[in-house]
Amino acid sequence: MGYIVLVTGASSGLGKSIALHLHSLGHTVFGTSRNPKQYIDTFPFTLLELDVTIKESIAHLFGELQQLNKPIDVLINNAGVGITGPVEETPLEAMRANFETNFFGPLAMIQRVLPLMRKNKKGTVINITSIAGYMGLPFRGAYSASKGALNIMTEAIRLEIGNQGINVITLAPGDYATDIASRRFHAPVINNSPYQKAYQGSLNTMDSHIDSGNDPIEIAHKVAVLIEQANPRPHYVVGSFIQKFSLTLKKILPQKAYEKLLKNHYKL
Ligand SMILES: NC(=O)c1ccc[n+]([C@@H]2O[C@H](COP(=O)([O-])OP(=O)(O)OC[C@H]3O[C@@H](n4cnc5c(N)ncnc54)[C@H](OP(=O)(O)O)[C@@H]3O)[C@@H](O)[C@H]2O)c1
């Protein structure tokens, strides 16, 4: 029997791929978008309205699901946005806005869904984080921090909820070919800024990594496997060999050697 799955940010990229794949496997999928009317008749699954940064929008979504009498078995906290810029020059409001979507949004969803899952004595929450959340990447500091914060919060939630049949885990993708780069907040490259050359260079590297990224279906396949696991690990990583290996290197190399590796990679 299939699960009832809620996928935030299912209008594009990884979320769309996850929602389509789980639907094709026979699960009942509810995807979300801030503008579902843009996508009428586009998807074989139901697309509901949700902005994870707006309390009322979250309340409305859960009201709709309750009316439909659909107990959520699985929540995929996928909605997220990118942000780039030198930390020194990125407006704090832009960083706060990023955290609202990437960190507080998923947490707000978790706060709504856990009581429902507890009632049903089962459920899985998968927080889509990022390999970038395991290290502070240059000119992506706010993004790395928002995803790293979600990683740590996931660990805390797991310890708090104990063994209630509910699994809360993270899945950290490497680079996948989606439109995330075109939607992210870019702090402007400021003329004569001490960061101008390095920031522009890093932006070019980041964009080429995303453009040449793997197929999002890999993430969808992993999600399909994880939701079937009775006792999953706290964290999973999916990406190219080198992206995954960079996490192993971070664990085994001396800190300054790892930092040097990143500096060489980003030509800093
Ligand atoms: N692509 C990668 O290489 C990569 C790597 C690591 C992690 N990730 C993470 O994977 C997730 C999906 O990224 P993606 O690459 O698929 O990007 P994407 O194509 O830009 O999709 C982002 C999705 O999030 C939704 N969204 C954005 N802001 C929202 C908000 N305030 N409330 C609700 N939904 C919102 C968008 O839906 P609407 O605009 O329709 O509302 C869209 O469906 C993100 O969390 C991202 O950080 C991606």
Side-chain angles (χ1 to χ4, degrees):
M1 202 186 74
Y3 297 122
I4 300 176
V5 186
L6 178 60
V7 184
T8 67
S11 62
S12 69
L14 304 185
K16 178 170 101 178
S17 193
I18 294 166
L20 286 172
H21 184 56
L22 295 185
H23 171 83
S24 77
L25 294 177
H27 300 294
T28 304
V29 176
F30 293 93
T32 76
S33 163
R34 284 166 295 179
N35 302 296
K37 290 197 182 94
Q38 260 185 30
Y39 303 96
I40 288 169
D41 294 335
T42 306
F43 302 118
F45 54 84
T46 309
L47 196 65
L48 300 172
E49 185 170 334
L50 173 70
D51 186 327
V52 295
T53 66
I54 301 175
K55 211 164 66 181
E56 294 75 15
S57 174
I58 295 176
H60 184 260
L61 172 81
F62 278 92
E64 259 181 308
L65 290 168
Q66 198 180 6
Q67 270 182 6
L68 293 167
N69 196 18
K70 296 292 180 191
I72 299 300
D73 299 311
V74 178
L75 165 65
I76 312 293
N77 256 330
N78 163 77
V81 281
I83 178 169
T84 66
V87 172
E88 185 183 329
E89 295 174 359
T90 306
L92 285 180
E93 308 83 70
M95 298 204 209
R96 287 199 180 99
N98 184 272
F99 266 71
E100 286 298 334
T101 306
N102 290 3
F103 179 65
F104 291 108
L107 287 190
M109 294 297 291
I110 288 171
Q111 288 186 342
R112 292 300 296 232
V113 92
L114 284 185
L116 306 177
M117 290 180 170
R118 188 172 300 110
K119 218 192 252 169
N120 298 333
K121 297 190 175 60
K122 65 178 166 83
T124 299
V125 177
I126 302 184
N127 293 321
I128 302 294
T129 56
S130 172
I131 288 184
Y134 284 98
M135 62 200 84
L137 290 180
F139 308 109
R140 296 174 79 187
Y143 183 77
S144 284
S146 70
K147 295 294 187 177
L150 190 54
N151 255 347
I152 293 290
M153 203 61 118
T154 303
E155 293 178 0
I157 295 167
R158 288 174 61 89
L159 294 173
E160 287 174 9
I161 60 175
N163 187 7
Q164 302 184 23
I166 304 170
N167 293 312
V168 184
I169 67 175
T170 69
L171 174 55
D175 287 321
Y176 283 86
T178 70
D179 290 336
I180 192 166
S182 66
R183 298 199 186 93
R184 73 181 164 220
F185 174 88
H186 290 278
V189 180
I190 300 171
N191 280 341
N192 301 324
S193 149
Y195 303 106
Q196 186 185 1
K197 197 163 156 251
Y199 178 29
Q200 187 59 64
S202 290
L203 273 180
N204 297 343
T205 310
M206 275 178 241
D207 289 348
S208 71
H209 283 174
I210 292 280
D211 289 345
S212 61
N214 291 4
D215 189 327
I217 192 69
E218 277 182 20
I219 301 293
H221 285 153
K222 187 69 182 179
V223 166
V225 170
L226 289 176
I227 64 176
E228 300 293 348
Q229 296 205 352
N231 194 14
R233 296 197 312 256
H235 304 296
Y236 291 84
V237 176
V238 180
S240 67
F241 169 77
I242 194 70
Q243 286 161 359
K244 288 192 286 189
F245 189 55
S246 72
L247 299 185
T248 309
L249 288 178
K250 185 166 192 203
K251 278 188 202 137
I252 59 175
L253 284 180
Q255 293 178 33
K256 289 184 87 170
Y258 187 72
E259 197 173 59
K260 196 162 174 210
L261 212 107
L262 284 181
K263 276 187 174 173
N264 285 343
H265 180 72
Y266 286 97
K267 301 183 184 72
L268 297 172

